[in-house]
Amino acid sequence: MEVAAVRRTVFNEDHEAFRETLRAFIEAEVVPVYDEWFAAGQAPRDFYYKLSELGVFGIRVDEEFGGAGIDSYKFEAVMYEETARAGVQFGGSGVHVLLGLPYIKSLATDEQKKRFLPKFVSGEEMWALAMTEPGTGSDLAGMKTTAKLSEDGTHYVLNGSKTFITGGVHADRVIVCARTSAPTADDRRFGISLFAVDTKAEGYSIGRKLDKLGLRTSDTAELAFVDVKVPVEDLLGEENKGFYYLGHNLASERWGIAFGAYAQAKAAVRFAKEYVQDRTVFGKTVASFQNTKFELAACQAEVDAAEAVADRALEALDAGELTPAEAASAKLFCTEVAHRVIDRCLQLHGGYGFMNEYPIARLYADNRVNRIYGGTSEIMKSIIAKNMGL
């Protein structure tokens, strides 16, 4: 007797129709060339125009700027599930929508939105977010990059460097966090501002394209700024309030990491189930052994729990009610579940699980960073503990 799947209420018919379209797109446009992207260490720039034509960049952008005007992250959730299901990534485009768009929508002036959003939707300008510096990591208040206002007040002069910038190679605009004022005695987070920096500006340079353990098709780079002139018109939000803006938008980023990790764990179970049903040892399929059944059953139970947590966080995010502590909890739980599940599913593949030609191997490497970026698991625990009054 077949057991019914766990009931979900988070998606409707529109989301499922989008899922079908996206699945067909992935099979036609991504799967056949993914090995080439993997070898090159990035997706080609023109692929982002195909994503634009599919409409994925404009889902949450207002219609007046060329978008669909749908104020929901649920279509992005479908993308997480479908890319994981196929064992692929969309290059560095994820930061364009998940990280870049919230800052434009919440901080940009009407004039800035008219300049930025049509090109954002069309893929003409790809966006990235530059927070991390070589010596700061999770301590964003310790950043050294500076932006000094010119004497005539027409522009800022940007100097410094950033690292681990996803989408940094192909980016046309980068939201750069920089110090515009010194921290105060009682608030070291004061004095950080955000700028929408044009990557074609003189003095802006891309350093190494970083050689990562996982996420091989996502371009990740070091950036350097030497006396880069940033027009005052490209300041996002108010001067010196950048740390507050970063904290506000981290909830959606951490939800994205949580949901992506859950989707990876779900895909890992699918890959392992298909493999053990086909693989034969000692005259029997690997799936017929009790240990295999127990391992996959335990993994499925963890995936079901992670799905519930991820879906709950998604509903809260769409309602504008996802708190930093809830986002941290979802990220911590889902990424830790994914770590355990993917490891066990790789084990069921035996030696083949260690080969990059199998999606489980790539998934294992891709998943590892989930417990690091967007705030480490240790930082998530600190946020949760503080919310508990500890």
Side-chain angles (χ1 to χ4, degrees):
M1 186 176 99
E2 184 175 344
V3 178
V6 176
R7 291 184 297 275
R8 297 179 81 185
T9 59
V10 70
F11 298 125
N12 61 29
E13 293 180 357
D14 290 338
H15 303 123
E16 296 306 329
F18 176 68
R19 185 187 303 279
E20 292 181 11
T21 300
L22 185 62
R23 189 173 295 183
F25 173 84
I26 291 171
E27 288 298 320
E29 300 290 345
V30 181
V31 172
V33 294
Y34 196 70
D35 286 345
E36 298 173 19
W37 296 4
F38 190 84
Q42 62 186 33
R45 178 63 175 83
D46 61 4
F47 172 68
Y48 299 144
Y49 290 109
K50 294 181 180 180
L51 288 178
S52 169
E53 292 172 3
L54 192 65
V56 300
F57 293 159
I59 292 172
R60 290 191 289 111
V61 175
D62 291 342
E63 293 181 30
E64 64 179 299
F65 303 116
I70 301 173
D71 189 20
S72 172
Y73 284 81
K74 292 183 179 180
F75 291 93
E76 286 166 56
V78 171
M79 282 189 275
Y80 282 121
E81 291 185 335
E82 289 305 305
T83 51
R85 179 184 183 277
V88 301
Q89 298 278 338
F90 281 172
S93 65
V95 300
H96 179 67
V97 176
L98 184 65
L99 302 189
L101 186 57
Y103 288 96
I104 304 173
K105 291 184 66 174
S106 62
L107 301 179
T109 63
D110 290 341
E111 183 276 330
Q112 287 175 325
K113 289 178 180 178
K114 290 176 183 177
R115 277 196 293 131
F116 296 151
L117 286 175
K119 293 180 180 180
F120 180 99
V121 172
S122 70
E124 183 179 345
E125 282 191 350
M126 296 298 295
W127 286 62
L129 177 63
M131 292 190 290
T132 305
E133 296 183 2
T136 58
S138 297
D139 182 20
L140 295 178
M143 67 178 62
K144 304 298 183 183
T145 298
T146 60
K148 303 295 185 182
L149 187 63
S150 63
E151 291 185 3
D152 62 7
T154 61
H155 62 273
Y156 291 85
V157 180
L158 181 67
N159 284 283
S161 63
K162 300 290 181 178
T163 192
F164 306 146
I165 308 308
T166 304
V169 175
H170 285 319
D172 303 287
R173 286 267 177 184
V174 176
I175 300 172
V176 177
C177 312
R179 280 213 163 272
T180 44
S181 297
T184 63
D186 59 348
D187 187 3
R188 61 192 296 267
R189 297 173 296 182
F190 174 82
I192 294 171
S193 300
L194 307 184
F195 300 91
V197 179
D198 186 342
T199 62
K200 297 185 293 296
E202 184 177 353
Y204 180 104
S205 63
I206 301 170
R208 293 184 302 151
K209 181 169 74 69
L210 299 175
D211 185 16
K212 307 187 300 297
L213 170 68
L215 301 179
R216 302 286 298 185
T217 66
S218 171
D219 55 302
T220 303
E222 295 174 330
L223 307 179
F225 323 110
V226 179
D227 293 333
V228 177
K229 293 182 178 179
V230 182
V232 292
E233 292 82 8
D234 289 345
L235 172 70
L236 282 176
E238 294 184 40
E239 193 178 85
N240 298 325
K241 292 188 176 181
F243 199 95
Y244 165 77
Y245 301 140
L246 293 173
H248 179 75
N249 285 314
L250 275 173
S252 60
E253 177 183 355
R254 287 168 178 164
W255 163 79
I257 297 170
F259 205 96
Y262 139 70
Q264 289 176 325
K266 182 177 182 179
V269 172
R270 174 174 173 264
F271 295 145
K273 179 182 175 183
E274 291 176 351
Y275 179 82
V276 299
Q277 287 177 325
D278 291 339
R279 177 71 169 166
T280 301
V281 294
F282 306 117
K284 300 165 59 178
T285 64
V286 176
S288 66
F289 291 91
Q290 186 181 63
N291 178 69
T292 303
K293 296 176 182 179
F294 281 6
E295 282 292 284
L296 282 177
C299 287
Q300 183 62 54
E302 289 218 75
V303 169
D304 288 345
E307 180 180 86
V309 169
D311 283 357
R312 184 182 69 176
L314 173 55
E315 294 285 21
L317 181 63
D318 265 13
E321 299 172 353
L322 184 64
T323 68
E326 288 171 335
S329 179
K331 181 181 184 296
L332 177 65
F333 182 78
C334 291
T335 58
E336 294 291 341
V337 164
H339 162 64
R340 293 191 297 270
V341 167
I342 294 170
D343 184 74
R344 294 167 83 171
C345 287
L346 186 150
Q347 188 73 16
L348 289 173
H349 282 72
Y352 289 104
F354 204 64
M355 301 296 110
N356 272 327
E357 65 186 275
Y358 282 79
I360 192 68
R362 298 180 182 183
L363 194 60
Y364 182 87
D366 290 348
N367 168 75
R368 185 58 186 88
V369 76
N370 289 333
R371 291 180 289 151
I372 299 173
Y373 68 0
T376 64
S377 290
E378 291 73 25
I379 294 294
M380 298 304 101
K381 291 174 184 177
S382 295
I383 294 170
I384 297 165
K386 183 177 180 180
N387 187 65
M388 295 169 65
L390 299 175

